[in-house]
Amino acid sequence: MALRTRILKLSNLRCVTQQASRLRAMSTQSTQTSPKEGPATATEEMKPGQTHFGFQVVAEEEKTKKVHEVFETVAEKYDLMNDVMSMGIHRMWKDIFMCRLAPQPETKLLDMAGGTGDIAFRYIKYLQNLGPSQGTHSSVTVCDINQAMLDVGKQRAQKLGYTPESCGVEINWKCADAERLDLPDDSYTAYTIAFGIRNCTHIDKVLEEAYRVLTPGGRFMCLEFSQLPNDTLQWVYDQYSFQVIPVLGQLFAGQWKPYQYLVESIRQFPNQEKFKSMIEDAGFRQVTYENLTFGTCAIHSGFKI
Ligand SMILES: C[S@@+](CC[C@H](N)C(=O)[O-])C[C@H]1O[C@@H](n2cnc3c(N)ncnc32)[C@H](O)[C@@H]1O
């Protein structure tokens, strides 16, 4: 019986591998690959009103629609896939991110592109660890453009037993676009965005809105995939990203394309220095970044002064 199950599993895996080869062949037809530099970024000229969706050049409205579809499709498996793809390392990155934010009892946090609540739950835990009733005046608003992601987050909060009475932190869930927020000026003391900003169509508008809603003295923090400073490491990382991640997506979530988009969007995102300048251009001061895991991702920070 055990042997039969194993044979079935192996034949399933063979089907997935065959499908992987077919899909990889299809995807390379639309992707320009340079053997020296590894998987290249899209080089196609962009016209006004166009942007990137992974390596594809699409109309701006189309990107927003496609990103929405991606996260609607993956919402239920999102947390599982994060663990599978990063071998659990994303948990450590998010823990470090929260330690760097070091929220205080009076912190009013807007967690943008907050998805299924990973950053919000770390924020609550951090405040709880400060001591009893340390979170009493704190609040977190988890904001995301995708209701399906927020619904998973709300279910998680319920399972964790997080109510304002039990955890001392007010949690709000808000479905909205980071590029146009119906939130008042100067209303949050901290703004976080983890693995969200590269999915937005206009990064400059997201940064502008972040600046607007923060109180003077408020802090902007972004955790995002980045570029490795060493060619060999980047090559190894590209091999893993392009050859393994979509296959894992197919195996564990029955989806290939969203995970291909994920790795392509990482490659398209500006490097640490470029993104730092963009944050400065939005008006933030004391802008810094810290590489995590050799620059696989980076924590960016800036203040509204
Ligand atoms: C990779 S997930 C990150 C979720 C969460 N922050 C985390 O670290 O696990 C990216 C999230 O960005 C959201 N998103 C994409 N575009 C957005 C936009 N314009 N405004 C707000 N959220 C957006 C997606 O719906 C998705 O939930």
Side-chain angles (χ1 to χ4, degrees), residues 33-78:
T33 308
S34 138
K36 187 164 160 270
E37 292 167 10
T41 51
T43 51
E44 203 180 320
E45 278 281 311
M46 273 197 297
K47 298 189 187 94
Q50 288 188 323
T51 187
H52 287 127
F53 173 76
F55 287 173
Q56 293 172 44
V57 172
V58 297
E60 288 175 346
E61 321 77 70
E62 202 187 337
K63 170 166 177 169
T64 314
K65 222 176 102 208
K66 278 173 171 282
V67 168
H68 198 274
E69 277 167 18
V70 163
F71 288 101
E72 196 141 74
T73 313
V74 304
E76 289 294 332
K77 296 274 171 133
Y78 178 78

Side-chain angles (χ1 to χ4, degrees), residues 63-116:
K63 170 166 177 169
T64 314
K65 222 176 102 208
K66 278 173 171 282
V67 168
H68 198 274
E69 277 167 18
V70 163
F71 288 101
E72 196 141 74
T73 313
V74 304
E76 289 294 332
K77 296 274 171 133
Y78 178 78
D79 296 307
L80 167 75
M81 283 308 294
N82 270 351
D83 281 336
V84 170
M85 290 183 300
S86 74
M87 293 172 269
I89 296 173
H90 76 105
R91 292 171 182 250
M92 181 189 79
W93 293 334
K94 288 169 180 168
D95 287 344
I96 297 174
F97 186 59
M98 194 44 60
C99 285
R100 297 294 182 265
L101 177 66
Q104 292 303 305
E106 65 282 1
T107 302
K108 200 173 168 207
L109 173 66
L110 177 60
D111 181 40
M112 186 51 64
T116 60

